[in-house]
């Protein structure tokens, strides 16, 4: 048995779980693979950007962390078969809900949590008010992206040992798309320094962030740092 080195100190990413998960759902689950799948889906859906959050089968079938967990849950079975069984149990228990769209070989099944948001999404799909795009072009769990260090060096400048510690802390504490957008705002406003980027991140964490921040919204967000309480970061 491999031991766990412990949770990291300081800032870290957190996956939200409703209180009912512990009080109502957890006592019902008697299958390790099903539990692993449900926890994975909670994490993966929380990482999605925008209000319409769903998973598709290929995202489950290709995530190496989930497959490794399922392989350990049922050593004598293929991960694909274990996933199929876990999905069946989670759907039968109605922890996950599913809907199919498209026909023939182009047909796809999407999965959501059985929450108000998930049920609303499926209702909109069934009513024809919304259709997902090409899954392989629009949704992937943790797609390959340049690391924060490479992103910073390419857009801001050289990384010192002290700055490296701050970048490590930020990478552990904020979603990657926050880091990307904050760096983008710094470049757009020609404020190429980490203090400016960190000020954006800290404000998003305190005051909330529009997860759909694009275009004019992103520009307006950056202008908030041109004056007032964040002016000290402009020329730093």
């Amino acid at each position: 048995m491999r031991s766990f080195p412990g949770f990291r100190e300081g800032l870290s990413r957190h996956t939200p779980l409703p209180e009912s998960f512990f009080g109502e759902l957890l006592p019902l689950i008697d299958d390790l693979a099903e539990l692993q799948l449900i926890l994975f889906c909670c994490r993966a859906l929380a990482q999605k950007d925008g209000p319409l959050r769903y998973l598709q089968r290929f995202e489950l079938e290709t995530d190496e962390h989930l497959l490794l967990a399922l392989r350990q849950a049922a050593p004598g079975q293929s991960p694909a078969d274990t996933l199929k069984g876990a999905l069946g149990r989670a759907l039968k228990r109605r922890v996950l809900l599913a809907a199919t769209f498209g026909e023939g070989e182009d047909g796809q099944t999407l999965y959501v949590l059985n929450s108000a948001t998930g049920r609303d999404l499926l209702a909109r799909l069934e009513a024809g008010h919304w259709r997902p795009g090409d899954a392989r072009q629009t949704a992937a769990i943790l797609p390959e992206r340049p690391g924060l260090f490479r992103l910073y060096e390419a857009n801001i400048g050289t990384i010192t040992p002290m700055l490296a510690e701050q970048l490590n802390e930020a990478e552990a504490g904020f979603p990657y798309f926050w880091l990307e957008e904050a760096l983008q705002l710094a470049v757009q406003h020609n404020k190429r320094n980490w203090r400016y980027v960190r000020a954006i991140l800290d404000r998003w964490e305190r005051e909330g962030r529009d997860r759909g921040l694009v275009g004019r919204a992103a520009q307006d967000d950056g202008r908030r740092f041109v004056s007032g309480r964040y002016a000290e970061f402009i020329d730093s």
Side-chain angles (χ1 to χ4, degrees):
M1 176 186 297
R2 294 179 58 184
S3 62
F4 174 56
F7 295 103
R8 297 174 61 177
E9 295 294 331
L11 294 175
S12 61
R13 297 176 183 175
H14 292 81
T15 297
L17 289 174
E19 185 63 28
S20 57
F21 173 88
F22 299 97
E24 300 176 33
L25 176 58
L26 189 58
L28 300 177
I29 300 176
D30 56 3
D31 181 83
L32 177 57
E34 180 186 359
L35 177 60
Q36 291 172 331
L37 174 65
I38 292 170
L39 289 173
F40 172 83
C41 289
C42 289
R43 171 180 174 268
L45 288 167
Q47 290 176 336
K48 296 285 184 176
D49 198 7
L52 305 180
R53 303 185 185 190
Y54 59 90
L55 295 170
Q56 296 201 11
R57 184 65 174 262
F58 82 90
E59 296 180 272
L60 307 178
E61 294 173 335
T62 57
D63 186 89
E64 60 182 27
H65 299 294
L66 176 60
L67 295 179
L68 177 60
L70 294 176
R71 187 176 292 111
Q72 294 174 341
Q77 196 173 39
S78 71
D81 288 340
T82 306
L83 174 61
K84 181 179 179 180
L87 265 176
R89 284 185 290 273
L91 291 169
K92 184 176 181 179
R93 203 183 301 278
R94 293 186 60 77
V95 180
L96 299 179
L97 302 176
T100 301
F101 63 94
E103 299 179 355
E105 295 182 356
D106 295 328
Q108 299 285 342
T109 301
L110 62 84
Y111 302 92
V112 299
L113 289 178
N114 186 3
S115 64
T117 301
R119 292 189 295 271
D120 178 68
L121 179 59
L122 294 192
R124 293 170 63 182
L125 177 67
E126 293 170 359
H129 297 158
W130 170 77
R131 286 289 184 273
D134 183 344
R136 295 182 183 275
Q137 294 181 8
T138 61
I141 304 168
L142 294 179
E144 284 297 324
R145 294 172 171 175
L148 177 58
F149 280 54
R150 280 183 290 168
L151 200 62
Y152 187 93
E153 288 179 325
N155 293 278
I156 304 297
T158 303
I159 298 175
T160 64
M162 182 176 296
L163 178 57
E165 294 182 5
Q166 298 176 36
L167 294 180
N168 278 325
E169 180 183 73
E171 195 167 30
F174 297 101
Y176 192 88
F177 63 89
W178 283 30
L179 299 170
E180 285 183 315
E181 289 191 4
L183 282 166
Q184 183 181 24
L185 285 171
V187 172
Q188 288 176 355
H189 294 277
N190 198 29
K191 309 302 176 187
R192 298 171 184 263
N193 63 78
W194 176 246
R195 292 175 63 190
Y196 186 87
V197 175
R198 183 62 195 233
I200 297 175
L201 295 169
D202 288 342
R203 188 183 64 78
W204 283 347
E205 186 174 46
R206 277 196 315 273
E207 302 175 14
R209 172 191 173 278
D210 179 4
R211 298 182 70 89
L213 190 66
V214 293
R216 181 179 176 182
Q219 295 174 3
D220 291 343
D221 192 81
R223 291 194 189 102
R224 297 187 185 188
F225 297 91
V226 177
S227 61
R229 62 191 296 187
Y230 296 104
E232 66 180 283
F233 297 104
I234 294 178
D235 298 320
S236 301

